[in-house]
Amino acid sequence: MEQEKENPQTNPEIQDKILLAALTLFTNKGYFNTSLNDIAKVAELDNTQIIYNYFANKHAIATTLYNNILDNLSISIDDIKRRNSTASEQLRSIVDLLFKLTDDAPSIMHFLLILKIREFLPEQRALNESPAFIKILKIIQTGIRSGEIRNIDPQLANAYFFGVINNTLRMVLNGTLDKKADSYQSQTWLMAWNIIAKKSSVF
Amino acid sequence: MEQEKENPQTNPEIQDKILLAALTLFTNKGYFNTSLNDIAKVAELDNTQIIYNYFANKHAIATTLYNNILDNLSISIDDIKRRNSTASEQLRSIVDLLFKLTDDAPSIMHFLLILKIREFLPEQRALNESPAFIKILKIIQTGIRSGEIRNIDPQLANAYFFGVINNTLRMVLNGTLDKKADSYQSQTWLMAWNIIAKKSSVF
DNA sequence: GTCTATACGCCGATAGAC
DNA sequence: GTCTATCGGCGTATAGAC
């Protein structure tokens, strides 16, 4: 009922088209302003009802989107942790990923940073309770123990660091900052990192 | 049609009750999950139709709420500018106001920081184009000219400073930070100010 | 100005022919 | 698996009696 059907008897490309159309529409107009008809049109389906071959209902489309995005993020973070040893390097790589996503896949970042997901997926756990975000908090905790990060409440460090990062990206997404995210990245990273770093050794 | 009726022939207290009920419900459940019936119930009206004596439609309720909140904010900022001379003092007072509001009127801050207003009020200008937020940007620009604030893009300074402030308040509002906003205020102000201040003279 | 009744539109979802 | 037809519900808004 609430999930993606397990055996879509049809083209998996169509499923992707539906998900992509839904992502675009949800971020542009909002979940409640988007009808299944809208999704079918943007996905270039002949018929609205085709959607029901792939998803039980509109809600299931949003759930799948949400899970796909968070799963990918979680996998990327695992990868980053494997490739980098220090908290500083790991956070630096995560910031790198988020800025890249903002330029290359703004809808995904819009979904994560701007949409009020609880409004249409009330049964899903909050973003900061998802594996991806728990892993980020753990990186911060590790950084505090290793002495890289100042000894403050990890949640506060998290709030400060990603306050700077995410707010900058939000302003790129909504056009208040008019250049590509990429052009703000190095400066923004420095600012965010220096807030929580033990010494401002980066300057 | 889209506005509050000019001559409500009835009790203005009822209008306030409707607005307060709507604010509560919009922030708790979201605009689209809130029906006029819900609002009537929370406002303790005998009848849903009474709402139409005060507002042309649901949309007009949201518009009035939005304008009231932004008007009050703008007035408070005018007041703050009158009472304080330096950019640092003015920003400090604005932060003070925002933290107070978070503890005393969380719905208002929830409306400002968490709701995706464009989704249900698409015709309204964006938050950062409202008088209140333009005034804040001007304070930052003044601070840069006077040498209090480092010479960077004012919008970037804005993004960094309020990234820290607003993200902290967001986490208080959603419970990720479990104490009152008040207990994080002085530390958070220091962090935010030191990002944009010319010298870290505050330490 | 209050309140009941009801119209109307939209949209999600189902049924069933092919 | 496609597609047409249609149901049913919800919620906004109107009409009109009192």
Side-chain angles (χ1 to χ4, degrees):
Chain A
M1 312 168 327
E2 290 301 334
Q3 301 162 342
E4 167 190 1
K5 291 200 178 173
E6 285 163 9
N7 300 317
Q9 288 88 339
T10 34
N11 194 338
E13 284 175 18
I14 292 182
Q15 174 156 345
D16 288 344
K17 277 181 111 173
I18 294 170
L19 287 171
L20 183 60
L23 176 63
T24 306
L25 287 161
F26 292 169
T27 53
N28 284 345
K29 307 175 36 171
Y31 177 83
F32 294 102
N33 291 320
T34 299
S35 72
L36 289 175
N37 259 312
D38 294 333
I39 296 173
K41 257 178 230 148
V42 173
E44 294 175 308
L45 305 180
D46 293 340
N47 196 300
T48 304
Q49 303 313 106
I50 291 175
I51 294 174
Y52 286 100
N53 292 335
Y54 298 88
F55 298 95
N57 51 37
K58 182 179 166 183
H59 188 256
I61 300 176
T63 304
T64 304
L65 262 182
Y66 184 67
N67 289 330
N68 285 358
I69 290 175
L70 284 184
D71 286 352
N72 283 329
L73 192 59
S74 184
I75 291 170
S76 297
I77 292 174
D78 287 338
D79 197 49
I80 285 170
K81 290 184 77 171
R82 228 180 303 109
R83 293 173 195 270
N84 300 275
S85 50
T86 68
S88 150
E89 287 165 343
Q90 289 173 354
L91 287 175
R92 184 71 187 78
S93 298
I94 289 171
V95 167
D96 195 53
L97 171 64
L98 297 180
F99 274 73
K100 268 208 184 63
L101 279 174
T102 300
D103 283 333
D104 300 343
S107 292
I108 289 176
M109 290 305 292
H110 195 117
F111 194 97
L112 286 172
L113 294 183
I114 298 180
L115 283 200
K116 212 196 152 193
I117 296 168
R118 299 221 87 144
E119 221 170 275
F120 55 94
L121 295 178
E123 79 290 353
Q124 294 289 320
R125 63 182 159 216
L127 264 187
N128 55 22
E129 288 164 4
S130 73
F133 285 75
I134 290 177
K135 283 170 192 163
I136 289 177
L137 192 63
K138 284 211 177 114
I139 292 176
I140 292 175
Q141 288 169 327
T142 306
I144 293 174
R145 271 199 304 277
S146 76
E148 285 182 85
I149 296 175
R150 296 192 301 112
N151 188 22
I152 59 175
D153 178 352
Q155 284 290 13
L156 258 191
N158 186 42
Y160 297 161
F161 183 82
F162 284 101
V164 170
I165 301 296
N166 292 348
N167 205 38
T168 304
L169 295 179
R170 250 182 234 114
M171 289 175 72
V172 169
L173 287 169
N174 73 22
T176 304
L177 291 171
D178 57 354
K179 289 183 243 166
K180 287 192 354 175
D182 182 61
S183 52
Y184 305 108
Q185 182 176 344
S186 63
Q187 185 179 6
T188 302
W189 153 258
L190 270 184
M191 294 296 151
W193 174 248
N194 275 325
I195 303 177
I196 63 170
K198 197 151 224 168
K199 336 178 185 180
S200 300
S201 57
V202 205
F203 276 133
Chain B
M1 311 170 330
E2 291 299 334
Q3 300 164 341
E4 168 189 358
K5 292 200 178 172
E6 286 165 8
N7 301 317
Q9 289 86 341
T10 38
N11 194 336
E13 284 175 18
I14 294 182
Q15 173 155 347
D16 287 344
K17 277 182 110 173
I18 294 171
L19 287 171
L20 183 60
L23 176 63
T24 306
L25 287 161
F26 291 169
T27 53
N28 285 345
K29 310 174 34 171
Y31 178 84
F32 294 101
N33 290 322
T34 298
S35 71
L36 290 175
N37 260 312
D38 294 333
I39 295 174
K41 257 178 228 148
V42 173
E44 296 176 307
L45 305 180
D46 293 340
N47 197 301
T48 303
Q49 303 314 107
I50 292 176
I51 295 173
Y52 287 99
N53 292 334
Y54 299 89
F55 299 96
N57 51 38
K58 183 180 167 184
H59 187 257
I61 301 176
T63 303
T64 304
L65 263 181
Y66 184 68
N67 289 331
N68 285 357
I69 291 174
L70 284 185
D71 285 352
N72 282 329
L73 193 59
S74 185
I75 290 170
S76 298
I77 292 175
D78 286 338
D79 197 48
I80 285 170
K81 290 183 77 172
R82 229 180 303 111
R83 294 172 194 272
N84 300 276
S85 50
T86 67
S88 151
E89 287 165 344
Q90 289 173 353
L91 287 176
R92 184 72 186 78
S93 298
I94 290 171
V95 168
D96 195 52
L97 171 65
L98 297 179
F99 274 73
K100 268 207 184 61
L101 279 174
T102 300
D103 283 332
D104 300 342
S107 292
I108 289 176
M109 289 306 291
H110 195 117
F111 194 97
L112 284 172
L113 293 183
I114 298 179
L115 285 199
K116 214 198 152 194
I117 296 168
R118 297 222 88 139
E119 221 171 275
F120 54 95
L121 295 178
E123 79 291 354
Q124 294 288 320
R125 64 183 156 212
L127 265 186
N128 55 23
E129 288 164 4
S130 73
F133 286 74
I134 290 176
K135 283 170 192 164
I136 290 177
L137 192 63
K138 282 210 179 117
I139 292 175
I140 293 176
Q141 288 169 326
T142 306
I144 292 174
R145 270 199 303 277
S146 76
E148 286 183 84
I149 297 174
R150 297 191 300 111
N151 187 23
I152 59 176
D153 178 352
Q155 284 289 14
L156 257 191
N158 186 42
Y160 296 162
F161 184 83
F162 285 101
V164 170
I165 301 295
N166 292 348
N167 206 38
T168 303
L169 295 179
R170 248 182 234 115
M171 290 175 71
V172 170
L173 288 169
N174 74 21
T176 305
L177 290 171
D178 56 355
K179 291 183 245 170
K180 288 192 352 177
D182 182 61
S183 52
Y184 303 108
Q185 182 177 345
S186 61
Q187 186 179 6
T188 303
W189 152 258
L190 270 183
M191 293 298 150
W193 175 248
N194 275 324
I195 303 175
I196 63 169
K198 196 150 224 169
K199 335 177 184 179
S200 301
S201 58
V202 203
F203 276 132

